[in-house]
Amino acid sequence: MTFHIRRREPLEDGLKRIAREQIGIVIGHFEDTGLSHNKKVHSLRARCKKMRALLRLCGPVMDSAFAEEDARFRDAGIRLCELRDAYVQAQTLASFKENYGIKIENVGDSFEVDPQTLNASLLEMREALAAVDDWQLNATSFYDIAPGVARTYRKGCRAWRRALESASDERFHKLRKWAKYLWYQTRILERVNKETLYLQRIRLQVLGEVLGHAHDLAVLEGVLCVRADADNSILQRAIRQKKRQYVQALKVSREVFRKTPDEVVANLALWWVDWRGGGSIAS
């Protein structure tokens, strides 16, 4: 399975292929009785994010179908969000035991999910897979996906600037969201210029990991702030570590968003022509 457009395949076929493969991975994991609930939920949430990034790439040519499909994958990820977040909170807290020698309760490698909830998610993914065939993308050239690329990059730039203005958890969470979408879109288009886009993908991957860790610490901070029995030393360490992650995220973001959206799209358009073997962008 390949999470990128292939050189010789029609654009619409490639986008639909990627969608089917990603949804198929989730279905396979949910049907695997040997996988833990943690791995199943992680697979679902990760693929839902990939699908929402793909939808934003081709959204401008999907008309009203975009909102319906985007809501489907958004809601599928949210359904199991609280359980996953509770597990991550416990894991993040447990990491302080190793780093600072603090005694806390041991955390396992998984969590339990109501079978009904898992079955509902599996059914929804099967419905999503069937729906891909009915997507009316009308995507035949780079012109059709260029607005989606530009919008995602522009949203990321805006989120970065807002985080520079005010280093709030909310603003960094927004930056993480758009950086993730841009990371996945870069992976989809990476073969257009492997050398240049690979470097951008790595930067985006690092940015996502840094912001992901900061988000976990922010959630942990929120939990500790409302607990009367919370150890203040753990809280302060979490805050300091989170701030360090934010500083690193801003540094990486300067590299990620150093070009304007117009420059990004113009470069991709030229690379697309060369990659497809000459001719025009509309092919």
Side-chain angles (χ1 to χ4, degrees):
M1 294 186 181
T2 52
F3 193 68
H4 59 76
I5 297 295
R6 295 168 180 159
R7 186 178 183 186
R8 295 303 180 188
E9 71 181 338
L11 180 56
E12 181 170 341
D13 291 352
L15 294 170
K16 286 186 175 183
R17 171 186 55 77
I18 292 171
R20 292 189 190 96
E21 288 176 353
Q22 292 304 308
I23 299 170
I25 290 172
V26 178
I27 293 173
H29 286 169
F30 268 61
E31 292 176 339
D32 187 346
T33 57
L35 281 185
S36 68
H37 287 177
N38 176 42
K39 290 182 179 179
K40 291 180 179 181
V41 173
H42 176 73
S43 176
L44 174 68
R45 295 188 68 196
R47 268 76 197 188
C48 283
K49 290 175 182 177
K50 285 185 175 182
M51 288 300 301
R52 296 187 73 193
L54 184 148
L55 287 167
R56 276 157 179 73
L57 189 63
C58 51
V61 293
M62 289 187 71
D63 298 325
S64 60
F66 167 79
E68 180 180 348
E69 294 301 319
D70 186 54
R72 184 202 301 275
F73 292 103
R74 178 198 65 209
D75 294 344
I78 290 175
R79 182 179 295 113
L80 298 170
C81 185
E82 290 185 2
L83 287 168
R84 174 67 177 173
D85 284 350
Y87 173 71
V88 170
Q89 289 169 24
Q91 290 281 38
T92 304
L93 184 58
S95 71
F96 284 96
K97 177 180 180 180
E98 179 180 350
N99 295 334
Y100 302 107
I102 299 170
K103 184 179 180 181
I104 60 174
E105 184 178 350
N106 184 47
V107 178
D109 63 353
S110 189
F111 56 87
E112 293 303 311
V113 182
D114 177 24
Q116 247 184 332
T117 303
L118 288 176
N119 289 335
S121 297
L122 176 57
L123 176 61
E124 190 162 27
M125 288 301 102
R126 286 173 176 162
E127 292 174 349
L129 182 60
V132 173
D133 289 338
D134 296 326
W135 286 7
Q136 299 298 317
L137 298 186
N138 300 314
T140 59
S141 72
F142 181 75
Y143 282 128
D144 296 318
I145 60 174
V149 176
R151 182 178 184 273
T152 301
Y153 188 87
R154 190 178 298 110
K155 288 278 190 177
C157 286
R158 188 177 303 163
W160 167 50
R161 294 192 189 99
R162 287 176 62 81
L164 279 171
E165 294 168 359
S166 175
S168 68
D169 293 338
E170 181 181 0
R171 292 190 174 189
F172 275 100
H173 183 62
K174 185 74 72 173
L175 174 59
R176 180 193 179 205
K177 169 186 172 180
W178 289 104
K180 275 270 189 180
Y181 288 152
L182 186 59
W183 176 40
Y184 290 136
Q185 290 183 1
T186 301
R187 288 178 60 184
I188 291 172
L189 296 171
E190 185 176 339
R191 295 302 176 92
V192 173
N193 186 324
K194 290 178 66 174
E195 182 176 353
T196 301
L197 293 180
Y198 170 78
L199 293 175
Q200 177 74 334
R201 173 167 67 84
I202 295 302
R203 294 189 192 102
L204 284 161
Q205 182 177 356
V206 171
L207 179 58
E209 290 172 352
V210 170
L211 288 171
H213 186 42
H215 174 69
D216 293 344
L217 290 166
V219 172
L220 177 61
E221 177 188 345
V223 172
L224 294 176
C225 281
V226 298
R227 284 181 54 174
D229 62 340
D231 187 330
N232 188 62
S233 65
I234 297 179
L235 173 60
Q236 294 306 315
R237 285 166 179 161
I239 293 173
R240 288 195 297 270
Q241 190 168 335
K242 181 192 70 175
K243 289 181 177 179
R244 286 195 291 269
Q245 297 299 310
Y246 284 162
V247 171
Q248 178 65 14
L250 291 175
K251 181 179 179 181
V252 178
S253 294
R254 289 189 184 92
E255 289 297 312
V256 169
F257 300 110
R258 67 186 187 278
K259 296 183 181 296
T260 67
D262 288 344
E263 288 174 328
V264 169
V265 171
N267 286 338
L268 284 169
L270 291 174
W271 297 335
W272 182 273
V273 172
D274 290 340
W275 183 59
R276 288 288 198 176
S280 68
I281 300 172
S283 64

